[in-house]
Amino acid sequence: MRIAVERGRGAKADLKLGICGEHGGEPRSVEFCHRLGLDYVSCSPFRVPLARLAAAQAVLKEAHRAEYVAAGG
């Protein structure tokens, strides 16, 4: 997936990329997609709350990691 993102955005910088299906509602998949820089994940309506929570946690985790690196960690 990383290679697809790199090559796709290398050819078209504003390319919108995402995944759909039950993987879109799996917290580890949401975090993985966030790290790759995907624009969206799509999942069944029943998994949306969990996917939104996972997306928020991925953003906070990334921010915490950036603070740690900036502090010399």
Side-chain angles (χ1 to χ4, degrees), residues 3-20:
I3 293 168
V5 171
E6 289 172 356
R7 291 183 182 177
R9 293 231 170 101
K12 183 178 181 190
D14 63 342
L15 183 65
K16 301 295 182 213
L17 298 169
I19 63 167
C20 64

Side-chain angles (χ1 to χ4, degrees), residues 17-67:
L17 298 169
I19 63 167
C20 64
E22 289 308 301
H23 294 295
E26 171 63 35
R28 289 183 302 186
S29 295
V30 172
E31 182 179 353
F32 176 72
C33 292
H34 175 73
R35 286 195 319 263
L36 288 180
L38 297 187
D39 299 295
Y40 67 91
V41 296
S42 175
C43 60
S44 68
F46 301 106
R47 295 183 70 116
V48 169
L50 184 59
R52 291 184 72 175
L53 177 62
Q57 289 174 332
V59 170
L60 291 173
K61 190 174 186 179
E62 180 183 59
H64 178 71
R65 199 171 315 143
E67 287 177 8

